[in-house]
mmCIF file with all atom_site columns, all heavy atoms in Angstrom:
data_model
loop_
_atom_site.group_PDB
_atom_site.id
_atom_site.type_symbol
_atom_site.label_atom_id
_atom_site.label_alt_id
_atom_site.label_comp_id
_atom_site.label_asym_id
_atom_site.label_entity_id
_atom_site.label_seq_id
_atom_site.pdbx_PDB_ins_code
_atom_site.Cartn_x
_atom_site.Cartn_y
_atom_site.Cartn_z
_atom_site.occupancy
_atom_site.B_iso_or_equiv
_atom_site.pdbx_formal_charge
_atom_site.auth_seq_id
_atom_site.auth_comp_id
_atom_site.auth_asym_id
_atom_site.auth_atom_id
_atom_site.pdbx_PDB_model_num
ATOM 1  N N   . ILE I 1 44  ? 1.633  -9.792  8.284  1.00 0.00 ? 44  ILE I N   1
ATOM 2  C CA  . ILE I 1 44  ? 2.842  -10.260 8.966  1.00 0.00 ? 44  ILE I CA  1
ATOM 3  C C   . ILE I 1 44  ? 2.698  -11.733 9.347  1.00 0.00 ? 44  ILE I C   1
ATOM 4  O O   . ILE I 1 44  ? 3.591  -12.550 9.100  1.00 0.00 ? 44  ILE I O   1
ATOM 5  C CB  . ILE I 1 44  ? 3.118  -9.412  10.230 1.00 0.00 ? 44  ILE I CB  1
ATOM 6  C CG1 . ILE I 1 44  ? 3.140  -7.910  9.893  1.00 0.00 ? 44  ILE I CG1 1
ATOM 7  C CG2 . ILE I 1 44  ? 4.403  -9.844  10.911 1.00 0.00 ? 44  ILE I CG2 1
ATOM 8  C CD1 . ILE I 1 44  ? 4.175  -7.506  8.895  1.00 0.00 ? 44  ILE I CD1 1
ATOM 9  N N   . LEU I 1 160 ? -1.350 2.316   9.609  1.00 0.00 ? 160 LEU I N   1
ATOM 10 C CA  . LEU I 1 160 ? -0.122 2.963   10.068 1.00 0.00 ? 160 LEU I CA  1
ATOM 11 C C   . LEU I 1 160 ? 0.661  2.033   10.987 1.00 0.00 ? 160 LEU I C   1
ATOM 12 O O   . LEU I 1 160 ? 1.896  1.998   10.956 1.00 0.00 ? 160 LEU I O   1
ATOM 13 C CB  . LEU I 1 160 ? -0.458 4.265   10.795 1.00 0.00 ? 160 LEU I CB  1
ATOM 14 C CG  . LEU I 1 160 ? -1.138 5.359   9.962  1.00 0.00 ? 160 LEU I CG  1
ATOM 15 C CD1 . LEU I 1 160 ? -1.389 6.591   10.816 1.00 0.00 ? 160 LEU I CD1 1
ATOM 16 C CD2 . LEU I 1 160 ? -0.293 5.721   8.747  1.00 0.00 ? 160 LEU I CD2 1
ATOM 17 N N   . ILE I 1 161 ? -0.074 1.277   11.810 1.00 0.00 ? 161 ILE I N   1
ATOM 18 C CA  . ILE I 1 161 ? 0.566  0.299   12.695 1.00 0.00 ? 161 ILE I CA  1
ATOM 19 C C   . ILE I 1 161 ? 1.356  -0.710  11.872 1.00 0.00 ? 161 ILE I C   1
ATOM 20 O O   . ILE I 1 161 ? 2.501  -1.050  12.183 1.00 0.00 ? 161 ILE I O   1
ATOM 21 C CB  . ILE I 1 161 ? -0.498 -0.419  13.559 1.00 0.00 ? 161 ILE I CB  1
ATOM 22 C CG1 . ILE I 1 161 ? -1.139 0.558   14.552 1.00 0.00 ? 161 ILE I CG1 1
ATOM 23 C CG2 . ILE I 1 161 ? 0.123  -1.601  14.306 1.00 0.00 ? 161 ILE I CG2 1
ATOM 24 C CD1 . ILE I 1 161 ? -2.385 0.015   15.220 1.00 0.00 ? 161 ILE I CD1 1
ATOM 25 N N   . THR I 1 162 ? 0.726  -1.181  10.793 1.00 0.00 ? 162 THR I N   1
ATOM 26 C CA  . THR I 1 162 ? 1.398  -2.163  9.932  1.00 0.00 ? 162 THR I CA  1
ATOM 27 C C   . THR I 1 162 ? 2.632  -1.564  9.269  1.00 0.00 ? 162 THR I C   1
ATOM 28 O O   . THR I 1 162 ? 3.724  -2.151  9.311  1.00 0.00 ? 162 THR I O   1
ATOM 29 C CB  . THR I 1 162 ? 0.428  -2.672  8.844  1.00 0.00 ? 162 THR I CB  1
ATOM 30 O OG1 . THR I 1 162 ? -0.712 -3.251  9.473  1.00 0.00 ? 162 THR I OG1 1
ATOM 31 C CG2 . THR I 1 162 ? 1.085  -3.713  7.954  1.00 0.00 ? 162 THR I CG2 1
ATOM 32 N N   . ALA I 1 163 ? 2.448  -0.378  8.644  1.00 0.00 ? 163 ALA I N   1
ATOM 33 C CA  . ALA I 1 163 ? 3.531  0.214   7.858  1.00 0.00 ? 163 ALA I CA  1
ATOM 34 C C   . ALA I 1 163 ? 4.689  0.703   8.714  1.00 0.00 ? 163 ALA I C   1
ATOM 35 O O   . ALA I 1 163 ? 5.856  0.529   8.343  1.00 0.00 ? 163 ALA I O   1
ATOM 36 C CB  . ALA I 1 163 ? 2.974  1.369   7.021  1.00 0.00 ? 163 ALA I CB  1
ATOM 37 N N   . LEU I 1 164 ? 4.396  1.318   9.868  1.00 0.00 ? 164 LEU I N   1
ATOM 38 C CA  . LEU I 1 164 ? 5.435  1.974   10.661 1.00 0.00 ? 164 LEU I CA  1
ATOM 39 C C   . LEU I 1 164 ? 6.026  1.095   11.766 1.00 0.00 ? 164 LEU I C   1
ATOM 40 O O   . LEU I 1 164 ? 7.163  1.306   12.180 1.00 0.00 ? 164 LEU I O   1
ATOM 41 C CB  . LEU I 1 164 ? 4.883  3.264   11.281 1.00 0.00 ? 164 LEU I CB  1
ATOM 42 C CG  . LEU I 1 164 ? 4.360  4.317   10.287 1.00 0.00 ? 164 LEU I CG  1
ATOM 43 C CD1 . LEU I 1 164 ? 3.810  5.521   11.026 1.00 0.00 ? 164 LEU I CD1 1
ATOM 44 C CD2 . LEU I 1 164 ? 5.455  4.735   9.311  1.00 0.00 ? 164 LEU I CD2 1
ATOM 45 N N   . ILE I 1 165 ? 5.233  0.121   12.263 1.00 0.00 ? 165 ILE I N   1
ATOM 46 C CA  . ILE I 1 165 ? 5.700  -0.683  13.400 1.00 0.00 ? 165 ILE I CA  1
ATOM 47 C C   . ILE I 1 165 ? 5.910  -2.144  13.030 1.00 0.00 ? 165 ILE I C   1
ATOM 48 O O   . ILE I 1 165 ? 6.990  -2.705  13.238 1.00 0.00 ? 165 ILE I O   1
ATOM 49 C CB  . ILE I 1 165 ? 4.708  -0.567  14.589 1.00 0.00 ? 165 ILE I CB  1
ATOM 50 C CG1 . ILE I 1 165 ? 4.591  0.897   15.045 1.00 0.00 ? 165 ILE I CG1 1
ATOM 51 C CG2 . ILE I 1 165 ? 5.162  -1.441  15.761 1.00 0.00 ? 165 ILE I CG2 1
ATOM 52 C CD1 . ILE I 1 165 ? 3.560  1.127   16.124 1.00 0.00 ? 165 ILE I CD1 1
ATOM 53 N N   . LEU I 1 166 ? 4.885  -2.766  12.463 1.00 0.00 ? 166 LEU I N   1
ATOM 54 C CA  . LEU I 1 166 ? 4.936  -4.209  12.258 1.00 0.00 ? 166 LEU I CA  1
ATOM 55 C C   . LEU I 1 166 ? 5.826  -4.622  11.089 1.00 0.00 ? 166 LEU I C   1
ATOM 56 O O   . LEU I 1 166 ? 6.470  -5.674  11.146 1.00 0.00 ? 166 LEU I O   1
ATOM 57 C CB  . LEU I 1 166 ? 3.521  -4.757  12.072 1.00 0.00 ? 166 LEU I CB  1
ATOM 58 C CG  . LEU I 1 166 ? 2.580  -4.550  13.270 1.00 0.00 ? 166 LEU I CG  1
ATOM 59 C CD1 . LEU I 1 166 ? 1.200  -5.116  12.965 1.00 0.00 ? 166 LEU I CD1 1
ATOM 60 C CD2 . LEU I 1 166 ? 3.147  -5.196  14.529 1.00 0.00 ? 166 LEU I CD2 1
ATOM 61 N N   . VAL I 1 167 ? 5.852  -3.826  10.008 1.00 0.00 ? 167 VAL I N   1
ATOM 62 C CA  . VAL I 1 167 ? 6.724  -4.191  8.883  1.00 0.00 ? 167 VAL I CA  1
ATOM 63 C C   . VAL I 1 167 ? 8.194  -4.164  9.308  1.00 0.00 ? 167 VAL I C   1
ATOM 64 O O   . VAL I 1 167 ? 8.927  -5.128  9.071  1.00 0.00 ? 167 VAL I O   1
ATOM 65 C CB  . VAL I 1 167 ? 6.466  -3.276  7.668  1.00 0.00 ? 167 VAL I CB  1
ATOM 66 C CG1 . VAL I 1 167 ? 7.553  -3.482  6.601  1.00 0.00 ? 167 VAL I CG1 1
ATOM 67 C CG2 . VAL I 1 167 ? 5.096  -3.574  7.066  1.00 0.00 ? 167 VAL I CG2 1
ATOM 68 N N   . PRO I 1 168 ? 8.671  -3.086  9.991  1.00 0.00 ? 168 PRO I N   1
ATOM 69 C CA  . PRO I 1 168 ? 10.084 -3.115  10.407 1.00 0.00 ? 168 PRO I CA  1
ATOM 70 C C   . PRO I 1 168 ? 10.382 -4.003  11.612 1.00 0.00 ? 168 PRO I C   1
ATOM 71 O O   . PRO I 1 168 ? 11.472 -4.584  11.699 1.00 0.00 ? 168 PRO I O   1
ATOM 72 C CB  . PRO I 1 168 ? 10.386 -1.644  10.736 1.00 0.00 ? 168 PRO I CB  1
ATOM 73 C CG  . PRO I 1 168 ? 9.072  -1.032  11.048 1.00 0.00 ? 168 PRO I CG  1
ATOM 74 C CD  . PRO I 1 168 ? 8.070  -1.762  10.204 1.00 0.00 ? 168 PRO I CD  1
ATOM 75 N N   . LEU I 1 169 ? 9.433  -4.127  12.555 1.00 0.00 ? 169 LEU I N   1
ATOM 76 C CA  . LEU I 1 169 ? 9.705  -4.848  13.806 1.00 0.00 ? 169 LEU I CA  1
ATOM 77 C C   . LEU I 1 169 ? 9.119  -6.255  13.838 1.00 0.00 ? 169 LEU I C   1
ATOM 78 O O   . LEU I 1 169 ? 9.503  -7.068  14.685 1.00 0.00 ? 169 LEU I O   1
ATOM 79 C CB  . LEU I 1 169 ? 9.170  -4.058  15.004 1.00 0.00 ? 169 LEU I CB  1
ATOM 80 C CG  . LEU I 1 169 ? 9.763  -2.661  15.236 1.00 0.00 ? 169 LEU I CG  1
ATOM 81 C CD1 . LEU I 1 169 ? 9.122  -1.993  16.443 1.00 0.00 ? 169 LEU I CD1 1
ATOM 82 C CD2 . LEU I 1 169 ? 11.283 -2.738  15.418 1.00 0.00 ? 169 LEU I CD2 1
ATOM 83 N N   . GLY I 1 170 ? 8.169  -6.543  12.958 1.00 0.00 ? 170 GLY I N   1
ATOM 84 C CA  . GLY I 1 170 ? 7.549  -7.866  12.956 1.00 0.00 ? 170 GLY I CA  1
ATOM 85 C C   . GLY I 1 170 ? 6.557  -8.034  14.095 1.00 0.00 ? 170 GLY I C   1
ATOM 86 O O   . GLY I 1 170 ? 6.108  -7.066  14.717 1.00 0.00 ? 170 GLY I O   1
ATOM 87 N N   . GLN I 1 171 ? 6.231  -9.274  14.380 1.00 0.00 ? 171 GLN I N   1
ATOM 88 C CA  . GLN I 1 171 ? 5.219  -9.605  15.396 1.00 0.00 ? 171 GLN I CA  1
ATOM 89 C C   . GLN I 1 171 ? 5.549  -9.004  16.760 1.00 0.00 ? 171 GLN I C   1
ATOM 90 O O   . GLN I 1 171 ? 4.660  -8.538  17.486 1.00 0.00 ? 171 GLN I O   1
ATOM 91 C CB  . GLN I 1 171 ? 5.109  -11.125 15.505 1.00 0.00 ? 171 GLN I CB  1
ATOM 92 C CG  . GLN I 1 171 ? 4.084  -11.609 16.519 1.00 0.00 ? 171 GLN I CG  1
ATOM 93 C CD  . GLN I 1 171 ? 4.070  -13.130 16.600 1.00 0.00 ? 171 GLN I CD  1
ATOM 94 O OE1 . GLN I 1 171 ? 4.507  -13.827 15.685 1.00 0.00 ? 171 GLN I OE1 1
ATOM 95 N NE2 . GLN I 1 171 ? 3.570  -13.664 17.700 1.00 0.00 ? 171 GLN I NE2 1
ATOM 96 N N   . GLY I 1 173 ? 6.721  -6.292  17.495 1.00 0.00 ? 173 GLY I N   1
ATOM 97 C CA  . GLY I 1 173 ? 6.380  -4.871  17.565 1.00 0.00 ? 173 GLY I CA  1
ATOM 98 C C   . GLY I 1 173 ? 5.104  -4.608  18.349 1.00 0.00 ? 173 GLY I C   1
ATOM 99 O O   . GLY I 1 173 ? 4.887  -3.497  18.849 1.00 0.00 ? 173 GLY I O   1
#
Side-chain angles (χ1 to χ4, degrees):
I44 307 300
L160 297 181
I161 293 167
T162 302
L164 301 178
I165 300 175
L166 299 179
V167 169
L169 299 179
Q171 180 182 339

